[in-house]
Amino acid sequence: MRVNGKAYRTIWPAADGEAVEIIDQTLLPHQFAIVRLTTLEDAAKAIRTMQVRGAPLIGAAAAYGMCLAMRADASDAALDRAYDALLATRPTAVNLRWALDVMREHLRNRPPADRAGAAYRRAAEICNEDVAINEAIGAHGATLLGKIAATKNGPLNVLTHCNAGWLAAVDWGTALAPVYKVHEKGLPIHVWVDETRPRNQGMSLTAWELGQMGVPHTVIADNTGGHLMQHGLVDAVIVGSDRTTAHGDVCNKIGTYLKALAAKDNGVPFYVALPSPTIDWKIDDGIAEIPIEQRDGAELSRIRGRLADGRVVEVDIAPEGSAMANYAFDVTPAHLVTWLITERGICAASASGLRALFPASARSGVPQHA
Ligand code: MRU
């Protein structure tokens, strides 16, 4: 996607072919900074501290983390150490485990001397596959949105929660890919952007990237969506996913479940866009089985902003001594999801719906998107 007119991905191998470069998303929207990762520890820290975030990008960053590890030490022990260190960074987005399984499987039976080279090649493939998958999601989702647009006078109004745009993947994104495709076709579209407390991925990242791409949008407080739906100002909700079960339960950023309830109550279609590596074929009951990350309470009690003189500062917004609870994700049960949008097409959020699109994965229990 473009930043100030220049094409970017969110992660790429540096010119020296060894280090890995990322856009530091903790500094957006106030600063656009490229950061170099040169060690396994750098990659793990980038995922843990959310310099890179979003399920598909977490997977890609983990793949490059394995590359950096193999460059330093390509032994079997180092391979397993890197796998464990990266897997421990964040618990919810299943793309992390998927990418680490793909990389370890790809490297395990190779002589250590070949592992670093093979790792960089496989990580690059994972990134290119991610871009192709997301563009396909964009095309399928645009068909869905186009059908609604055809019934309307005036812009199509979609609401999104968190950031599931190109910043959350290698490129294109998932939930925002159909928005970009519709916009590219010249169809009028407007996006309601949930600010997405406490880390404000909507305010800081989604609004920023939509602005860079010239897509009309309005930032709203997280509690506003239901009111807008009651007044017919939302034609569809489209969100991403960090882990979707084999039965169609969808785990995504905290607050997504509440949007799904409001959408159901107001007859607004609720779409979930996801690439196949985000499907966890080993889990049926999302509410009971998906590990939900809890992050530091300071993400809730402190907030970052830019002063009039351009300095970026962090301030306390909470009374001293109050306890904080910071759940990062929630689960929307399958019955609240209108359609799942994948790279292979659109299906019901159900075991039979997913099985029809991904028969081999449903049989083997392992994502097989190629
Ligand atoms: O905590 P984050 O910013 O990693 O959470 C991201 C989300 O919840 C996204 O909606 C999800 O990962 C899908 S990204 C295409």
Side-chain angles (χ1 to χ4, degrees):
M1 284 297 172
R2 292 188 304 280
V3 178
N4 303 326
K6 184 173 175 232
Y8 277 92
R9 285 184 172 188
T10 50
I11 189 167
W12 59 92
D16 63 12
E18 296 191 349
V20 175
E21 293 182 336
I22 59 166
I23 296 167
D24 184 343
Q25 300 191 25
T26 62
L27 302 177
L28 290 173
H30 308 304
Q31 210 185 327
F32 181 76
I34 309 289
V35 167
R36 267 171 82 80
L37 312 177
T38 57
T39 64
L40 164 67
E41 291 68 31
D42 287 348
K45 176 178 164 256
I47 298 171
R48 205 173 40 249
T49 63
M50 298 178 65
Q51 288 176 300
V52 290
R53 31 69 48 207
L57 178 54
I58 290 171
Y64 274 116
M66 293 291 263
C67 300
L68 295 170
M70 291 300 98
R71 199 165 65 88
D73 172 357
S75 64
D76 288 353
L79 184 61
D80 291 336
R81 259 199 318 275
Y83 182 102
D84 295 341
L86 291 160
L87 189 64
T89 52
R90 296 186 72 191
T92 305
V94 76
N95 304 60
L96 175 60
R97 188 186 71 208
W98 168 82
L100 292 171
D101 287 343
V102 167
M103 293 298 288
R104 186 158 65 174
E105 207 44 49
H106 187 69
L107 300 172
R108 180 185 295 290
N109 301 323
R110 288 169 193 272
D114 299 350
R115 286 180 176 166
Y120 279 93
R121 288 190 293 278
R122 190 67 188 96
E125 285 168 5
I126 285 175
C127 288
N128 293 338
E129 287 160 9
D130 181 66
V131 175
I133 283 174
N134 297 333
E135 185 158 14
I137 289 172
H140 293 304
T143 310
L144 211 49
L145 294 181
K147 285 189 185 132
I148 304 176
T151 67
K152 288 208 51 160
N153 286 327
L156 177 74
N157 289 304
V158 296
L159 183 145
T160 196
H161 189 71
C162 194
N163 173 257
W166 73 274
L167 286 171
V170 177
D171 208 345
W172 280 101
T174 58
L176 292 188
V179 170
Y180 289 130
K181 285 285 182 188
V182 165
H183 181 65
E184 238 178 33
K185 288 185 184 152
L187 289 172
I189 187 166
H190 165 262
V191 184
W192 297 110
V193 178
D194 278 356
E195 63 175 333
T196 317
R197 287 279 296 153
R199 289 187 68 106
N200 295 331
Q201 284 93 330
M203 175 85 84
S204 306
L205 306 177
T206 300
W208 180 80
E209 65 167 273
L210 290 172
Q212 290 288 334
M213 298 302 292
V215 178
H217 61 279
T218 308
V219 178
I220 53 176
D222 291 331
N223 295 325
T224 308
H227 167 73
L228 295 174
M229 293 180 207
Q230 286 173 331
H231 292 273
L233 297 171
V234 179
D235 300 306
V237 176
I238 188 163
V239 298
S241 175
D242 289 86
R243 190 184 299 224
T244 291
T245 72
H247 284 229
D249 291 342
V250 170
C251 178
N252 194 45
K253 183 51 56 189
I254 196 84
T256 303
Y257 171 48
L258 300 182
K259 287 292 140 28
L261 287 171
K264 188 79 174 179
D265 190 46
N266 292 283
V268 173
F270 185 87
Y271 303 141
V272 176
L274 73 156
S276 52
T278 302
I279 303 169
D280 189 339
W281 297 96
K282 298 189 173 68
I283 287 184
D284 295 327
D285 179 344
I287 295 172
E289 300 174 74
I290 296 180
I292 299 293
E293 182 181 18
Q294 284 197 52
R295 295 185 62 87
D296 193 306
E299 293 186 352
L300 205 53
S301 63
R302 295 176 65 80
I303 197 160
R304 252 164 53 89
R306 188 181 61 240
L307 297 173
D309 65 8
R311 280 178 302 134
V312 176
V313 295
E314 208 172 77
V315 295
D316 276 310
I317 56 173
E320 277 187 35
S322 290
M324 301 288 149
N326 184 10
Y327 293 88
F329 300 97
D330 61 21
V331 175
T332 297
H335 71 267
L336 293 177
V337 178
T338 311
W339 294 115
L340 297 176
I341 307 169
T342 77
E343 72 267 26
R344 287 204 185 161
I346 292 158
C347 70
S350 66
S352 56
L354 286 166
R355 206 171 32 244
L357 284 184
F358 301 97
S361 304
R363 269 195 310 278
S364 67
V366 177
Q368 296 172 27
H369 63 265

